Amino acid sequence: MDLLTHIFDKNPQTLPNYQRIKCNDPNLRRVVVALAKNQRSKKSICVAADIAQLGREIGRNTALTDLLLDDVNCLDHGDVVLACHMFSLLCAGINSNRSIEELTISNFSHNQWKIGYCLGPFLANSPNLRSVCVMTGGGYTKSADNMRLLVEPLLERNSPLEELCFIESGVDDDMVVALVDVFLKNPRLVPIKLQIAACEFGIVGCKAIATLLKSPNCPMETLDIPDNFIEDDGAVCLANALKKNGVLKELCLAGN
């Protein structure tokens, strides 16, 4: 069973059945958290207690396998500090979950890269986690440090992710270099599938990925990097790297 959860304020006129929306149902396998906005102001009408309770319910549900956090940028109330606080409350509960296999985080804005800090314990300790996907259609704060903030919790894992995806999330050359640097220093973390789609990296990031592909025992089987800016030089760089790689099975460069 799936559940689409909207968290509103407790005004009965807004959502009469508010109390019936729970994420601790043992039959749940997939939860989509789409946090509600005031349609006039476009700001969240969530309250901290509701967010914290939702996180606790997700954390306690051992049946969940798939979690999508969607449109969490609406937590901002126009206040970045408050947005981060609210997201931290949500993650405090989620971090205790050990059953989730797939995590997708979608439609973030300025607080997008707080995910590495707030979800660090979950990324590090969730034993069944196979896939992490970060995508956004909004603004973002880009830096190599933010990429490390997201990836470094994975260093504590006993097993690598099968899939790591960044889609329209503003990943630029510096961030790709930072990501590859972590992988080169910790080869066991290299995912089977790496996707960086519709982002902003070019030849510099492409050279870093080529270095990863040439590294001994690189386990990556799928590299999906469409709609970036690698151009001809980047394609040649990857082609040369593949001469020393016998593992990669799928490569997508569409739209470059």
Side-chain angles (χ1 to χ4, degrees), residues 20-97:
R20 298 179 188 175
I21 294 183
K22 300 293 183 182
C23 292
N24 53 6
D25 188 319
N27 295 313
L28 283 177
R29 295 294 181 272
R30 183 171 189 262
V31 168
V32 179
V33 180
L35 300 177
K37 296 179 181 178
N38 181 300
Q39 293 304 307
R40 181 173 298 177
S41 68
K42 301 302 181 183
K43 294 181 180 180
S44 171
I45 52 178
C46 307
V47 297
D50 297 335
I51 294 295
Q53 177 62 25
L54 174 63
R56 287 192 293 269
E57 290 176 2
I58 292 174
R60 294 169 183 164
N61 192 329
T62 59
L64 292 181
T65 60
D66 190 351
L67 175 63
L68 167 59
L69 303 179
D70 183 40
D71 213 13
V72 184
N73 61 335
C74 73
L75 285 176
D76 57 23
H77 296 272
D79 185 329
V80 176
V81 175
L82 180 59
C84 294
H85 172 66
M86 297 279 275
F87 187 54
S88 297
L89 289 175
L90 178 65
C91 294
I94 293 173
N95 283 335
S96 63
N97 187 288

Side-chain angles (χ1 to χ4, degrees), residues 143-145 147-148 173-183:
S143 77
D145 287 341
M147 175 61 82
R148 294 187 186 96
D173 282 319
D174 288 343
M175 297 178 79
V176 173
V177 170
L179 178 64
V180 169
D181 183 60
V182 171
F183 287 156

